[in-house]
Amino acid sequence: MDIKEITRDKSLGMTIIVKTISRLIVSFILVFGLYIVLYGHITPGGGFAGGVILAISYVLLILAFGGKVAVAKMSGFWASMWDNLGALAFVVIGFLGLIGGYFFLNFINHGTPGKLISAGIIPLCNIAIAVKVGAALYAVFLALSIYGRISTEEDE
Amino acid sequence: MLSHTSLYILDIALMGMGIYALIAKRHIIKKIIGVVIIEYAINLFLILIGYRAEGVAVAPIQDAEIGATELAAKAVDPLPQALVLTSIVIGLGTLALMAALAIKLYEKYKTFDMSEINRLRG
Amino acid sequence: MLILFHILLFFMIIGSIVAIETKNMLSAVIAVGAVGFGVSLMFLFLGAPDIAITQVIVEVLSLVILIRATVYIDNRAIERKFDSFAIITGLLFLGFFIMAAVWAFGDMTPFGEPLMRVSRRYLSGTAAETGAVNAVAGVILDYRAYDTLGEAMVLFASILGALVILRNRGKKPVVK
């Protein structure tokens, strides 16, 4: 089924008020999460907090529209795939430091402190951790709210 | 009465509340709540140790007004903050694990009561 | 400032008592949320904005997990019988921990004067050596990145455990 049809299906998810508000707000949450991740080395925040915000924007989709819309946007398979890719990217960044000397060496030029593109590998590590944490928490919430439902309930 | 140690003691009392819930309550979600409260208290304790009381507490972020040497003289300890930051997110992961276990137990025994589960299993 | 910390900690202890002792599970979970937001406020006043942000967000998500995944299924309270043995044991442990804590605090540095042997080095060197202005980001991902790798793997393992426990397909039916 097309994703627009599932979104308009009135039997799924919550009421129309919740759906409209969350449709307006979800993109702002996503952008705020990206801001927290990308500016993690300059302002408070970083990969862990930003990753949880990214996961929350998808959790809002699950809560408001039901699990089907969220699965159509990103299925459980792709969520665990992003989880693994984030963890792998973090380890690979660590091993790339070996070309300069030791594990997790900050091998990229540090640049001017305080600018967005600075601090070598720290923004890259932040992005990898954010992808890992966000995808992992989204996957586990998807599993808790869809697969973890008691089988006697009828709305599966 | 409002001494500096009393903050630590209150924080340990908060942790004791979690331990009490973990031991004395039979509802499995109450036990999960106990674990969550213990986690909060320990994180808060680590941050309390790193606080610096002289002057105003400065967050460990350097900017145009605060240089590197001034930061080292004024700012709070960044090391416990770095450890607690990861510990909070791991707490969320273990909470999800505990919730999954509780759901599976409910699916099998149709109750959240721990002593009831023990009786049914035996 | 000290009075503010005491008020916040009292608020948190009252919130935890409500969370532990109330009959309704939904209000218990929401009281835990109140404790978590109190902790986050405390982090903010203690000069740790990184952790305050993380705590608020994690608190929201853990509330949603607890409500949607567990309380949503079954909201009945169970505490019918008065279990005196468990309550006495719990209170005994509470008293024991507070006593041991008071005994141990004699050897600790007083509140507000931390031992900052390695942290001074981190604070003065973070901008020059790692390029990160935020000292916490510098410690997490440069000075102690190996530690962060380990913690990321712990998170990975716990999420993997939850997914394995919750999976329904692929299970063989029980032969009777």
Side-chain angles (χ1 to χ4, degrees):
Chain A
M1 202 173 6
D2 191 26
I3 186 163
K4 285 192 174 166
E5 288 175 38
I6 314 174
T7 319
R8 297 211 178 95
D9 192 348
K10 287 209 175 85
S11 62
L12 292 170
M14 293 192 180
T15 58
I16 186 106
I17 301 171
V18 180
K19 281 187 181 176
T20 312
I21 296 293
S22 52
R23 190 180 292 137
L24 287 175
I25 258 175
V26 84
S27 54
F28 286 106
I29 297 178
L30 206 64
V31 170
F32 182 63
L34 285 177
Y35 163 75
I36 290 275
V37 172
L38 292 179
Y39 281 76
H41 54 295
I42 307 173
T43 55
F48 285 97
V52 185
I53 298 180
L54 295 182
I56 277 182
S57 65
Y58 274 90
V59 166
L60 184 62
L61 279 184
I62 298 179
L63 290 177
F65 294 97
K68 276 187 184 166
V69 174
V71 169
K73 292 243 183 225
M74 187 196 282
S75 67
F77 172 77
W78 279 107
S80 32
M81 192 60 98
W82 279 113
D83 181 10
N84 299 339
L85 283 179
L88 204 62
F90 191 41
V91 176
V92 165
I93 289 171
F95 273 112
L96 280 181
L98 282 177
I99 55 174
Y102 53 90
F103 200 50
F104 274 115
L105 173 68
N106 200 340
F107 58 93
I108 305 177
N109 187 17
H110 293 170
T112 324
K115 292 279 183 290
L116 176 58
I117 300 179
S118 67
I121 61 166
I122 292 181
L124 299 176
C125 286
N126 264 334
I127 292 169
I129 288 177
V131 168
K132 192 221 149 343
V133 169
L137 291 176
Y138 169 69
V140 80
F141 191 79
L142 197 65
L144 277 173
S145 65
I146 293 178
Y147 305 122
R149 197 70 68 77
I150 303 301
S151 49
T152 50
E153 287 186 29
E154 65 279 0
D155 56 353
E156 267 194 356
Chain B
M1 192 60 206
L2 288 183
S3 71
H4 287 147
T5 354
S6 66
L7 262 183
Y8 288 162
I9 294 172
L10 279 179
D11 191 60
I12 293 299
L14 186 63
M15 194 186 102
M17 290 297 158
I19 289 173
Y20 168 73
L22 201 57
I23 293 173
K25 293 292 163 180
R26 296 191 305 170
H27 199 297
I28 196 164
I29 298 175
K30 287 274 172 81
K31 282 181 192 288
I32 294 178
I33 284 172
V35 174
V36 170
I37 287 173
I38 291 175
E39 211 181 274
Y40 288 163
I42 297 295
N43 288 341
L44 188 55
F45 187 67
L46 288 176
I47 297 297
L48 276 175
I49 289 175
Y51 182 70
R52 286 175 96 174
E54 67 255 36
V56 186
V58 181
I61 295 167
Q62 195 176 329
D63 55 10
E65 293 155 18
I66 299 176
T69 48
E70 201 178 347
L71 197 73
K74 268 186 180 173
V76 300
D77 199 344
L79 194 53
Q81 294 195 18
L83 300 180
V84 166
L85 185 60
T86 47
S87 139
I88 289 175
V89 180
I90 287 173
L92 190 53
T94 51
L95 175 73
L97 182 63
M98 287 187 287
L101 274 174
I103 286 175
K104 280 294 163 186
L105 277 175
Y106 186 84
E107 205 168 311
K108 185 152 188 205
Y109 296 107
K110 302 283 178 245
T111 177
F112 276 138
D113 192 338
M114 282 312 286
S115 54
E116 188 78 12
I117 288 172
N118 266 333
R119 196 176 61 78
L120 287 174
R121 197 192 59 199
Chain C
M1 215 51 165
L2 209 57
I3 297 174
L4 182 71
F5 292 154
H6 278 86
I7 292 170
L8 272 173
L9 261 172
F10 267 116
F11 165 75
M12 277 182 260
I13 290 177
I14 292 169
S16 66
I17 292 174
V18 170
I20 291 166
E21 289 300 333
T22 183
K23 297 281 182 208
N24 189 353
M25 290 318 295
L26 189 60
S27 35
V29 170
I30 288 171
V32 170
V35 179
F37 286 120
V39 172
S40 143
L41 264 181
M42 192 102 176
F43 285 155
L44 194 60
F45 288 122
L46 283 168
D50 292 85
I51 311 179
I53 290 175
T54 316
Q55 176 70 39
V56 167
I57 298 154
V58 164
E59 190 51 51
V60 170
L61 196 50
S62 65
L63 262 184
V64 171
I65 284 179
L66 274 179
I67 291 176
R68 170 80 187 208
T70 54
V71 178
Y72 187 70
I73 296 173
D74 187 354
N75 199 6
R76 287 173 301 172
I78 303 182
E79 317 286 334
R80 284 183 293 268
K81 221 166 36 181
F82 190 76
D83 192 353
S84 56
F85 172 73
I87 287 174
I88 287 172
T89 319
L91 287 177
L92 214 69
F93 264 93
L94 205 161
F96 173 73
F97 266 95
I98 291 179
M99 255 177 58
V102 171
W103 181 54
F105 287 153
D107 296 335
M108 274 180 51
T109 58
F111 176 70
E113 298 159 25
L115 273 180
M116 293 179 63
R117 285 190 193 135
V118 68
S119 303
R120 270 181 222 281
R121 166 93 168 64
Y122 288 159
L123 278 173
S124 57
T126 175
E129 287 170 4
T130 70
V133 186
N134 187 353
V136 177
V139 172
I140 282 184
L141 293 173
D142 194 305
Y143 289 114
R144 294 191 178 222
Y146 200 65
D147 180 37
T148 309
L149 179 69
E151 306 217 18
M153 289 312 136
V154 172
L155 181 67
F156 189 77
S158 72
I159 297 291
L160 195 66
L163 288 180
V164 166
I165 288 170
L166 285 171
R167 134 196 102 132
N168 275 331
R169 60 204 166 126
K171 249 182 216 167
K172 285 179 186 161
V174 181
V175 183
K176 291 196 175 165

